[in-house]
Amino acid sequence: AVLAEIENVDKRKDDLFFSFSPNDILDKMPILEQCMQEVSRLYFTVMVPPRKVVTPFEATDRKTGKKWLIPKDSYLCIAPILNHQDPRIFENPEVFDPLRFEKKNKYGMEYVQFGYGRHRCTGEMYARLVIKTAIVVLFRRGNFNVKLEDKLPQAKFIKTIGTASPAHPILVQIYKK
């Protein structure tokens, strides 16, 4: 589906590097965007840096209803992988399903690949542009197929640092058509 999307955005084959504008790559490739979001949901690799509490507040556990007072000058951080693997938020969280991101901004604060709100990463658009450009150039450059050797592995959660990585290597075979 991603290959067909790349072909549909720009039919010109003569200019491998400059036939796509940044807006084409960012805005006119929803399937590629959805695939990138789903990969980062499954294998989130960054813990959101701690934030200092400037005003005390009360937090409530959604599951148990238990309440905690979070005092001023405490430090809080979130491990997004916990939300990203929560079946109450993402149905069948262990399944690779890019279509779950078909509706933009469906998940709000539950999906925080690049942070959220005023603390959102200022490099998000640039990072997305670089990754998408690399994929587009790679697929337009060669006449090859990509084959996943095995199914995608489950994420292995590294508790000490709040990140995830594949439980075993992801083997991909790239070969000429």
Side-chain angles (χ1 to χ4, degrees), residues 28-159:
K28 296 180 183 172
M29 296 188 168
I31 297 169
L32 180 54
E33 176 69 26
Q34 291 162 17
C35 288
M36 288 172 52
Q37 287 178 306
E38 183 66 348
V39 167
S40 71
R41 183 193 66 80
L42 285 169
Y43 303 107
F44 196 86
T45 58
V46 178
M47 190 166 170
V48 175
R51 304 284 184 226
K52 188 174 184 177
V53 176
V54 293
T55 305
F57 67 95
E58 193 174 78
T60 305
D61 183 316
R62 288 187 214 167
K63 199 174 193 180
T64 65
K66 183 177 178 180
K67 296 180 184 281
W68 290 280
L69 178 64
I70 310 299
K72 181 180 177 180
D73 296 327
S74 297
Y75 286 91
L76 295 177
C77 66
I78 61 169
I81 191 68
L82 298 177
N83 278 351
H84 295 178
Q85 296 299 315
D86 189 336
R88 295 172 297 177
I89 299 168
F90 294 95
E91 188 176 333
N92 300 316
E94 70 285 350
V95 174
F96 181 80
D97 179 14
L99 293 178
R100 72 175 82 234
F101 291 100
E102 200 166 25
K103 182 180 173 192
K104 285 190 176 206
N105 303 320
K106 176 179 178 181
Y107 296 104
M109 286 187 68
E110 284 87 10
Y111 176 73
V112 289
Q113 174 188 21
F114 286 93
Y116 192 81
R118 70 180 186 170
H119 296 290
R120 191 174 190 101
C121 175
T122 57
E124 175 185 9
M125 296 301 271
Y126 178 70
R128 289 175 44 221
L129 178 64
V130 168
I131 293 167
K132 286 182 176 183
T133 301
I135 291 169
V136 167
V137 169
L138 181 68
F139 280 106
R140 291 191 77 223
R141 234 180 142 170
N143 232 356
F144 59 86
N145 285 325
V146 177
K147 178 184 170 194
L148 190 61
E149 298 255 322
D150 198 358
K151 66 180 186 170
L152 285 172
Q154 293 293 328
K156 177 177 71 176
F157 182 62
I158 304 168
K159 292 179 185 174

